[in-house]
Structure formats: C-alpha cells, structure tokens
C-alpha cells in the first residue's frame, strides 16, 4: 500500500500514542485542516489502521490533510510539533507512584526519540501526571523552556465554562473563565474573573452555586472516569490540545492557560504549572502574571511543592531503572 505524498507546505504534527486521546486528536487536527499528522504507537498495525480509516474519511469530511500511522520514529522526522499522549491513565488499585513509574519511562523514551528526529519541534505533553511528564520532556529534549508545555488548563477551563453555561442556560462560547495551577485536586478555577460576555459571573450566580461549579470542575476528570468505568475523557482533551496547536501553527497569539516552566513567575522556580500564556509560532511567547489573592497564591504554591516532590520521585525511579 502506498501512502499519498505529504505536501511540503503543510505543517507536520507527530502524535505519540494512538489511544483514545491521540487518535481523537489526530482526527481533530486533520479535520480542522491544521496539519499533516504522523500517528505513532508501540502497538504494531494499530496506528496504521487508524490512519487509513481517517484517510478514507478525507473525501467525506472535505479536508486536504494527510495522515500516516507508524511504529517507527524515523517516520516522524522534521515535525513542527510533537504531542505526547503515550502512557496509561490511572487504573483502580494503582498508586500515584505506580503511574509515575510506568508513564515516566514511556514519556522519557518518547521525548528522546522524537527530539532526535525533530530537533526544531515544539512539544505539547498530555500524558498524566501532567506537570511531571512535561518537566521530564523538557529535561530530556534539552529544548528551551518556551518550546515545551503541558495541556491541562485549556481542558479544565472548558469544563468550568461548560458548567457555568449549563447553570445559566447560555452559550458556552460566551463564557470566559480560566483555571490555573495543577491538573489535579489543587487546580485553581478563577471564579472572580469569570464572565459571560463581560458580565462577571459573581453578578449572575450566588457564592454557593459558584462554589458548587468550582468543585465540579476540580473533579471533572473523575466524574467522567466514574461514569465510563473503562477509562477517562478524550473528546474534550483532544479539542483542548488542538486549540493549542491551532494557536501555535496559525500564530494566533491566544492567551491560554498552559503548563509552563516557571522561573520566578508567581514566586515559583524550576517547576511546570498552569499559568496564562500567549501561544504563537515560537511556542510560549509570554507568561502573564495575573493578580491573585492570598488564598489563590497559597494554592499555587502548595501545588508547586507537590509537583516538585513528584518530579524528584520520578527522577529517582528513572535513575534506579
Ligand atoms: N510508545 C508509544 N506509545 C505507547 C507507549 C510507548 N512506549 N506505551 C504505551 N503507548 C500507547 C498505548 O499503546 C496506547 O495506545 O499509548 C496509548 C495510550 O492510549 P489509551 O490507553 O487509550 O489512553 P488515553 O485515554 O489516550 O490517555 C493517554 O493522556 O489524558 C492522558 O491520563 C491520560 O496519561 C493518559 C494519556
């Protein structure tokens, strides 16, 4: 079977991990006409089959992007962007350290292989635990900090916006809200700056209702796992990742919450954490420091401490392997 030649003009995105998040992301990228996609997985035949299936829909979906499935990193060469989704979601009975152990190894291997063939790429990490995996990717690619980032804040913000929109019965696109901090129990949904077309939600909802929506956002991932039994969310994570890719490839300069490497911002150092960033063709072009109250600042610092501990655990695990 021959593969249609990839246009030299098209940007090239490699998606590592062709599971539910990776394959849905590949679909979003080509169907939004953003880039050609190389879909890589460790399982033989699986990314090739998915790619062929997506290619056969090309005429029906009326886009003109190519997709290729592979098990070989050499075929990812010269990608503009690499997305790492390889790894496993937490299963029942698995501790955080167990997950850290299995996913650290997978992500480090993916990062090293991908950077070898695409030394100029920008990397977006999706695998959990997110901030730790993003740190390991940054460290093992040797890339400058603006070229490595984690996807979590866009997803968590979309969840918060959805819950606000459902509560008010308005169009979700009219709701603007940011979730900063870590992708976990300590995430920081910023209710004070959330608006519906400029109207603060604090004028539309009482404090108790807002707190309920914040709590549902914090547990957004777990709510889906509980309903599905067989794994976690993947449609909205893929949409959130494709939004970041779009802002980078089309140089849109969107301000999005992204897990970025901090060097003094928010009083934090040597850690990846969700903060508002301007995303353009260079990657993270600016980190914005917004005013936070003392409780919000404390939450960010507690999250950062916990992430640093997990980074150290991951490094120790990798050293002893
Ligand atoms: N190299 C390449 N791919 C790998 C490797 C590896 N070393 N190890 C595992 N994979 C692949 C698996 O074969 C699988 O196809 O990663 C894929 C993971 O897919 P799923 O199990 O469907 O998981 P998914 O729901 O896509 O989540 C992936 O994203 O949101 C996060 O928490 C989530 O960490 C998880 C990741």
């Amino acid at each position: 079977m021959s593969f249609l030649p990839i246009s030299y003009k098209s940007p090239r995105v490699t998606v590592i991990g062709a599971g539910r998040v990776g394959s849905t992301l590949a679909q979003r990228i080509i169907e939004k006409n953003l880039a050609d996609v190389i879909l890589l997985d460790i399982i033989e035949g699986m990314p090739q089959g998915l790619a062929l299936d997506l290619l056969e829909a090309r005429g029906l979906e009326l886009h003109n992007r190519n997709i290729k499935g592979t098990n070989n990193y050499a075929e990812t060469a010269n990608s503009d962007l690499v997305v790492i989704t390889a790894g496993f979601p937490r299963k029942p009975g698995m501790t955080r350290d167990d997950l850290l152990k299995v996913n650290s190894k997978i992500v480090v291997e993916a990062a090293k292989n991908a950077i070898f063939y695409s030394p100029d790429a920008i990397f977006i990490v999706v695998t959990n635990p997110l901030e730790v995996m993003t740190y390991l990717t940054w460290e093992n690619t040797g890339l400058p900090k603006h070229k490595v980032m984690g996807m979590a804040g866009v997803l968590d913000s979309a969840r918060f916006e959805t819950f606000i929109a459902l509560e008010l019965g308005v169009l979700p696109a009219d709701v603007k809200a940011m979730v900063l901090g870590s992708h976990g129990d300590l995430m920081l949904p910023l209710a004070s700056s959330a608006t519906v077309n400029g109207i603060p939600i604090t004028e539309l909802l009482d404090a108790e209702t807002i707190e309920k929506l914040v709590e549902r956002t914090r547990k957004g991932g777990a709510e889906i796992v509980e309903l599905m039994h067989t794994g976690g969310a993947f449609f909205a994570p893929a949409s959130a990742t494709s939004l970041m890719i779009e802002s980078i490839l089309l140089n849109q300069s969107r301000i999005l919450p992204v897990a970025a490497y901090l060097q003094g911002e928010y009083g934090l150092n040597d850690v990846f954490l969700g903060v508002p960033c301007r995303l353009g063709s260079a990657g993270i072009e600016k980190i914005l420091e917004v005013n936070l109250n003392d409780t919000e600042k404390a939450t960010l610092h507690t999250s950062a401490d916990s992430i640093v501990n997990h980074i150290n655990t991951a490094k120790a695990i990798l050293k002893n392997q």
Side-chain angles (χ1 to χ4, degrees):
M1 180 180 59
S2 68
F3 172 62
L4 290 163
I6 284 178
S7 150
Y8 72 96
K9 278 186 195 154
S10 180
R12 215 165 134 81
V13 176
T14 285
V15 178
I16 305 175
R20 287 163 314 163
V21 176
S23 58
T24 311
L25 174 62
Q27 180 185 8
R28 295 266 195 272
I29 295 169
I30 56 170
E31 291 180 0
K32 280 186 172 179
N33 222 351
L34 289 177
D36 291 338
V37 171
I38 310 297
L39 185 59
L40 182 142
D41 202 279
I42 200 165
I43 300 174
E44 280 182 29
M46 180 262 236
Q48 290 87 342
L50 288 167
L52 180 59
D53 194 10
L54 283 166
L55 200 66
E56 287 167 357
R58 186 163 73 162
L60 306 173
E61 294 293 340
L62 299 177
H63 67 85
N64 194 28
R65 300 294 171 169
N66 282 322
I67 176 160
K68 181 169 194 181
T70 185
N71 309 111
N72 180 359
Y73 277 92
E75 299 207 68
T76 69
N78 303 318
S79 293
D80 300 288
L81 234 153
V82 172
V83 185
I84 301 181
T85 76
F88 297 95
R90 198 160 140 195
K91 295 186 185 119
M94 222 180 178
T95 66
R96 273 188 197 280
D97 282 359
D98 290 339
L99 185 70
L100 215 53
K101 197 171 179 175
V102 45
N103 282 356
S104 298
K105 196 165 169 260
I106 291 171
V107 166
V108 167
E109 178 198 292
K112 283 183 174 168
N113 280 317
I115 194 70
F116 180 80
Y117 289 104
S118 301
D120 297 322
I122 289 170
F123 279 61
I124 300 178
V125 181
V126 180
T127 306
N128 280 313
L130 195 266
E131 294 83 6
V132 184
M133 296 303 125
T134 312
Y135 189 100
L136 294 178
T137 299
W138 169 70
E139 204 176 47
N140 285 279
T141 53
L143 282 170
K145 59 180 182 170
H146 66 278
K147 293 185 95 173
V148 182
M149 65 197 82
M151 188 294 292
V154 178
L155 169 64
D156 295 328
S157 302
R159 285 179 174 153
F160 191 28
E161 289 166 353
T162 300
F163 301 146
I164 294 168
L166 286 173
E167 186 67 36
L168 290 169
V170 299
L171 187 76
D174 283 349
V175 181
K176 296 287 166 220
M178 281 244 215
V179 177
L180 305 184
S182 66
H183 186 47
D185 304 341
L186 289 171
M187 75 175 68
L188 194 58
L190 293 180
S192 54
S193 59
T195 67
V196 181
N197 271 348
I199 307 167
I201 62 161
T202 47
E203 289 182 22
L204 303 170
L205 295 166
D206 60 53
E208 199 185 322
T209 307
I210 292 175
E211 191 45 40
K212 205 180 66 190
L213 304 180
V214 163
E215 224 18 62
R216 189 171 178 196
T217 304
R218 287 208 179 98
K219 298 193 172 111
E223 184 178 358
I224 290 176
V225 170
E226 218 167 281
L227 288 166
M228 287 173 61
H229 298 300
T230 53
F234 55 98
F235 289 122
S239 293
T241 313
S242 78
L243 195 85
M244 290 168 67
I245 293 171
E246 190 171 27
S247 191
I248 294 168
L249 293 181
L250 303 185
N251 197 23
Q252 288 175 328
S253 304
R254 293 193 69 167
I255 306 290
L256 300 170
V258 166
Y261 185 75
L262 301 182
Q263 266 180 323
E265 297 90 349
Y266 295 93
L268 295 165
N269 269 299
D270 196 27
V271 68
F272 276 83
L273 202 63
V275 290
C277 296
R278 194 179 75 210
L279 284 195
S281 55
I284 296 178
E285 297 184 340
K286 191 176 170 54
I287 293 176
L288 286 90
E289 286 194 74
V290 293
N291 284 329
L292 299 176
N293 64 35
D294 288 346
T295 316
E296 291 166 343
K297 277 185 204 154
T299 306
L300 271 198
H301 281 251
T302 310
S303 311
D305 289 346
S306 153
I307 291 163
V308 169
N309 280 337
H310 284 115
I311 290 170
N312 290 334
T313 308
K315 283 183 182 175
I317 290 167
L318 289 165
K319 211 171 159 189
N320 293 328
Q321 270 173 356

